[in-house]
Amino acid sequence: MGVYDMGFSSWGCLTLCLLILVVVVRTPQADGASHRLFGPEKKSLVMAVAPSGRQQAVDVGICAISVIPHGYKCQEFQVTTEDGYVLSIQRIAEGRAAAAAAGGEGGGKLLPNRQPVLLQHGVLVDGITWLLNPPKQNLPMILADNGFDVWIANTRGTRFSRNHLFLDPSSPAFWNWSWDELVTYDLPATFDFVYHQTSQQIHYVGHSLGTLTALAALSEGRLVDKMKSAALLSPVAYLSHMTTALGIVAARAFVGEITALAGLAEFNPKGKAVANLLKSLCNIPGIDCYDYLTAVTGKNCCLNSSTFNLFLQSEPQPTSVKNMVHLAQGVRDGILAKYNYGRADYNLEHYGEERPPIYNLSNIPNDMALFLSYGGKDALSDIQDVGTLLDCFKFHDGDKLRVQFIKDYAHADFIMGTTAKDLVYSAIINFFKHQKQPS
């Protein structure tokens, strides 16, 4: 079976996911420079700390672009997944005041043993999305200034995670994955790496697809021993009640095969094929793409223009066509399942059964500390779908589950909203600090 045997989907669902701000492994190699890496030609290099503690040259990354200019110390690392992808991860180990070493701005309430926090972005964006607001309004720097050891993950295929031990991004094989592989490889790899570096259990923050992959991983018993707690923002485990006009078109537009994108393995929103697809859908009567972010995510209450302009400069990022198809299957089927290859014999080959296995979220341990925050204006993480998710936790330990509902918030407000610091991030910090250290 070829890489393009991706089962059935819809043009509309692919486009619907276009601006979703949703969303490995073995222990990384002791020296990330010991392998030849296939990927983009390196043009600008800085010195970063390798897993062994030695410095090595890497591409100018998120630290140099969005962290160090604000007065924070930042380290770049590379994490190798079990299936060979080389992922970029950044560390902000201390607050700005500590980095300045002399009463600078930023608070600097340092804890004796700083607890690690891993941030996971969604699909079609990368880790820089967490850093678009000013330091006093973005989550990574707020966490660092409150004494946490902050790690920012970057999913395979995004601009700083386009290397592989033996595959090149120009090869279709590089893109032969869906979010199943993020569950199986990327998340475990980053968790293993951070745990190895800190020797502590890890707090986790996921947005959108970053919530789906964490929930799916926990349901299979992954991460449980290394995760201390999880904050899930705009959770999208279920997607069948989206209220956006594009979502409605998507739900009705299944055509059985991806004909326009046939032969295309990389889903690049800035590429010609995807742009043409988007243009054709925006011409459908009743679909207003003038305010595209609102059309897809719902009416965000609290974005400022400067942050949104920064977003447009750096995003969206590529993902795989197969990943978009998998997301579209969740919209259509209303269930949380592994990738459907569209034919019983193909599914039988991959899973030993004719239908893709379900991710059973009721398998998540009842004592896993979970914080869920969702918005009343979110067209992607719809209230009804979040209700379905919460039903999975009806037997969860009462002191281990906290749910926050913000009436006026839509999908992007949780990571770029100017009021998120007071409404969401302060609640996350309080939740993290109240989790007891393991005995």
Side-chain angles (χ1 to χ4, degrees), residues 297-324:
T297 68
K299 187 171 180 57
N300 296 280
C301 70
C302 305
L303 307 185
N304 66 42
S305 58
S306 60
T307 297
F308 186 64
N309 288 336
L310 286 174
F311 172 80
L312 293 178
Q313 290 174 20
S314 60
E315 316 294 353
Q317 294 290 313
T319 187
S320 70
V321 170
K322 188 175 181 180
N323 191 35
M324 303 304 283

Side-chain angles (χ1 to χ4, degrees), residues 1 5-8 176-185 220 222 322-323 325-327 329-330 332-333 335-359:
M1 179 175 56
D5 295 321
M6 294 184 177
F8 35 86
N176 187 20
W177 51 268
S178 79
W179 58 260
D180 284 333
E181 281 68 35
L182 308 186
V183 170
T184 304
Y185 300 116
E220 294 189 326
R222 307 179 193 274
K322 188 175 181 180
N323 191 35
V325 173
H326 196 179
L327 288 168
Q329 291 172 354
R332 181 197 61 214
D333 299 336
I335 59 176
L336 190 60
K338 292 184 181 293
Y339 183 82
N340 191 336
Y341 286 88
R343 285 176 43 172
D345 55 339
Y346 287 173
N347 287 328
L348 193 64
E349 176 185 341
H350 283 84
Y351 307 121
E353 49 191 292
E354 295 184 353
R355 296 288 301 173
I358 300 292
Y359 288 101

